[in-house]
Amino acid sequence: EAGVAQSPRYKIIEKRQSVAFWCNPISGHATLYWYQQILGQGPKLLIQFQNNGVVDDSQLPKDRFSAERLKGVDSTLKIQPAKLEDSAVYLCASSSQVANEQFFGPGTRLTVL
Amino acid sequence: ILNVEQSPQSLHVQEGDSTNFTCSFPSSNFYALHWYRWETAKSPEALFVMTLNGDEKKKGRISATLNTKEGYSYLYIKGSQPEDSATYLCAFNSGNTPLVFGKGTRLSVIA
């Protein structure tokens, strides 16, 4: 069974630039999560999708972050414009149902200069 | 606000030593406690999902216990090996709420 795929693995941008991350969850997993993990902190949920609908985006900074999962499969997370404090690892995870075990991708390490 | 605390923050042990970490979580509205191992440049890997008070789970040299009444879980590693070096994350959720992660314990096993 293929795992959760993410790209790119690494990204370096300057502040005020835009960036997008892509995630392909495990086939058949209805629930998809985006987490932000800042160095020294635990992963923090940014947004949770159930199929193509948003379940929870309460911690997503909506002035600059957006995410979509149009066909209920893969998803993109965008930051526009980026700030220095957005430097983090962005993890995507999927699960077959809400509250079930989550399977993580390798993450995208973003550095904002 | 749900808070998950992990200790110690980091740990250095010699190869062959046994070690353990602690995860503290809210004892009310408990649903599940998850342990993950996250090696550098890899995906976080699920170790255990624990739901029952008093539960003990084991995978090879790694085991975990759960006390939902007092709100803590221990992760034990017996005879640590260099390949055990990783960050160990615990995460808590209650019902359909999102996982809340601790900051992790960073383990370094020195050969």
Side-chain angles (χ1 to χ4, degrees):
Chain A
E1 178 182 80
V4 176
Q6 288 189 248
S7 68
R9 293 293 309 275
Y10 304 92
K11 190 73 177 179
I12 300 173
I13 62 173
E14 294 188 347
K15 60 183 179 184
R16 290 187 288 273
Q17 285 188 319
S18 301
V19 65
F21 313 129
W22 173 82
C23 172
N24 191 22
I26 291 173
S27 178
H29 279 192
T31 311
L32 185 147
Y33 312 81
W34 282 103
Y35 291 89
Q36 179 193 56
Q37 193 261 335
I38 292 173
L39 187 65
Q41 304 290 319
K44 180 185 83 172
L45 180 71
L46 292 175
I47 189 167
Q48 176 184 336
F49 291 95
Q50 180 72 12
N51 297 308
N52 61 351
V54 175
V55 173
D56 186 340
D57 63 356
S58 56
Q59 299 192 91
L60 187 74
K62 298 180 186 64
D63 57 334
R64 298 183 301 105
F65 285 65
S66 64
E68 59 184 16
R69 194 184 184 200
L70 291 175
K71 297 181 180 178
V73 180
D74 55 354
S75 175
T76 54
L77 176 70
K78 296 179 182 177
I79 308 175
Q80 181 180 10
K83 292 186 175 181
L84 296 176
E85 58 261 35
D86 299 331
S87 295
V89 175
Y90 290 85
L91 289 164
C92 179
S94 70
S95 64
S96 55
Q97 294 180 40
V98 174
N100 276 15
E101 179 181 350
Q102 296 183 23
F103 296 83
F104 284 85
T108 296
R109 183 176 294 277
L110 173 68
T111 301
V112 182
L113 302 176
Chain B
I1 297 177
L2 300 177
N3 203 30
V4 176
E5 300 284 344
Q6 288 189 247
S7 64
Q9 187 174 11
S10 64
L11 195 55
H12 298 260
V13 301
Q14 293 288 331
E15 182 177 358
D17 287 351
S18 294
T19 187
N20 64 85
F21 329 130
T22 305
C23 174
S24 301
F25 53 87
S27 55
S28 59
N29 298 320
F30 176 85
Y31 181 80
L33 191 285
H34 304 241
W35 280 103
Y36 287 87
R37 174 171 59 200
W38 192 5
E39 294 179 65
T40 302
K42 294 187 178 180
S43 306
E45 171 198 357
L47 290 173
F48 306 112
V49 181
M50 309 178 78
T51 57
L52 298 175
N53 184 44
D55 209 2
E56 292 188 29
K57 295 207 171 183
K58 187 175 181 181
K59 182 186 287 189
R61 295 179 290 99
I62 304 177
S63 59
T65 61
L66 179 67
N67 183 323
T68 61
K69 296 189 176 183
E70 296 182 40
Y72 65 83
S73 175
Y74 293 135
L75 187 79
Y76 300 90
I77 302 178
K78 183 178 178 181
S80 302
Q81 299 296 309
E83 58 264 31
D84 296 330
S85 296
T87 296
Y88 291 82
L89 292 166
C90 79
F92 160 90
N93 72 322
S94 54
N96 284 334
T97 60
L99 286 182
V100 177
F101 283 83
K103 294 181 180 181
T105 293
R106 181 173 291 185
L107 173 67
S108 298
V109 182
I110 304 162

